Amino acid sequence: TAFEVNEMIETKHFVGDEVVFPVPGAPPASGAALTFRGIGKSFGETPVLAGIDLVVPPGQFLAIIGKSGCGKSTLLRLLAGLDRPTAGEITHDDAADGQADTRIMFQEPRLLPWARVVDNVAVGLTGTPRGVAREQARAMLGEVGLADRAGEWPSVLSGGQRQRVALARALVGQPRVLALDEPLGALDALTRIEMQDLLERIWRKQGFTAVLVTHDVAEAVTLADRVVVLDAGRIALDIAVPLPRPRPRGDAAVARLEQRILRQLFGTGR
């Protein structure tokens, strides 16, 4: 019922200082716990993030959503170690080094045009002997359904296939945290659904901690255990998505969560 769903949205369990959201069908956790303490970021005199406090349990799938310019991609870059906060710190398990064992996937595949598909994936295994890296890259290509394209050039692949290669490259090193900066935003609607299903399947299998930045409310509710809405660089909403997986698109409970988030985004209250 609507009442039961609303009750579930507000449910939080505390373990120590962590907020843990119980989600049916979640994978066994092999990801890293993340803690954002008092995170602030300014560019010159312009503040972008202020007072961000988040605890992300191991293996959680967190979606961060908000309007353009709200600071969500900046927060992801801080997590991945591509930039440093002006204030506060991000800790990754017991290390004050948020980028350890973290890989990031961007909206653009950023493949090397002069390297074959298998070698693009092997880039994610820098320091590994070439033969071993290629063997592991081929295995990861199998996970994303591209085992038969290993010897081809990126230029002959479709947009969705290139994003599968980028996902394989990000995951081949078995990171404990995967940061996703709108990686599906440029895909057509049907390819985007296929990639969402693929990403969820691999996350459930590997159990890494996932942090997804997206403009797409439906995508956030479909994939995430928890959705955080940013507004003007601050957390405006932090809710669980305690719905069983896989989540049928168009489901009434999913739609109610989407409406709750949209009301927050457009300032129409609860």
Side-chain angles (χ1 to χ4, degrees):
T1 68
F3 175 77
E4 289 169 334
V5 169
N6 287 334
E7 286 295 301
M8 292 171 73
I9 291 171
E10 302 297 340
T11 299
K12 301 178 183 179
H13 295 290
F14 291 84
V15 179
D17 293 329
E18 294 187 353
V19 182
V20 180
F21 296 84
V23 179
S30 60
L34 304 171
T35 303
F36 300 76
R37 291 191 179 94
I39 295 296
K41 179 64 180 178
S42 298
F43 293 101
E45 298 298 316
T46 305
V48 178
L49 294 169
I52 301 294
D53 291 303
L54 278 174
V55 176
V56 184
Q60 186 172 77
F61 201 126
L62 171 68
I64 301 173
I65 197 164
K67 296 179 182 179
S68 296
C70 71
K72 56 189 185 297
S73 290
T74 299
L75 186 61
L76 202 71
R77 289 178 61 83
L78 297 180
L79 169 62
L82 301 178
D83 206 343
R84 294 192 174 276
T86 307
E89 66 172 357
I90 301 172
T91 57
H92 182 290
D93 285 340
D94 294 327
D97 184 6
Q99 66 269 27
D101 289 327
T102 299
R103 296 292 182 272
I104 188 167
M105 184 178 171
F106 297 98
Q107 187 175 70
E108 311 82 19
R110 303 190 181 191
L111 303 183
L112 305 175
W114 59 85
R116 296 190 185 272
V117 166
V118 67
D119 294 315
N120 267 280
V121 176
V123 167
L125 292 167
T126 302
T128 303
R130 187 169 186 268
V132 175
R134 292 188 109 220
E135 181 179 348
Q136 293 179 15
R138 287 182 186 277
M140 195 65 228
L141 282 169
E143 287 288 323
V144 300
L146 291 177
D148 60 338
R149 312 302 292 269
E152 298 188 8
W153 301 104
S155 60
V156 305
L157 302 181
S158 68
Q161 289 170 335
R162 286 194 290 270
Q163 280 299 72
R164 286 175 183 248
V165 176
L167 178 61
R169 180 183 59 198
L171 293 177
V172 70
Q174 297 185 325
R176 299 183 67 202
V177 178
L178 179 62
L180 300 140
D181 193 1
E182 301 191 64
L184 313 183
L187 302 179
D188 65 80
L190 294 179
T191 303
R192 186 167 186 154
I193 290 172
E194 289 179 348
M195 282 295 295
Q196 289 169 357
D197 292 344
L198 174 65
L199 178 58
E200 181 180 19
R201 176 177 63 78
I202 294 177
W203 167 74
R204 293 183 70 178
K205 180 177 180 179
Q206 295 191 7
F208 51 83
T209 302
V211 183
L212 168 70
V213 160
T214 181
H215 281 97
D216 189 330
V217 174
E219 180 171 272
V221 175
T222 296
L223 290 174
D225 298 326
R226 174 184 179 190
V227 177
V228 166
V229 176
L230 290 187
D231 185 13
R234 296 182 180 273
I235 295 174
L237 183 67
D238 184 349
I239 63 172
V241 186
L243 304 176
R245 297 175 182 273
R247 295 167 184 159
R249 290 168 177 83
D251 179 77
V254 170
R256 279 190 287 272
L257 280 165
E258 291 177 13
Q259 286 301 313
R260 169 83 182 276
I261 294 166
L262 287 168
R263 285 197 297 270
Q264 179 65 52
L265 284 168
F266 292 103
T268 55
R270 298 182 60 167

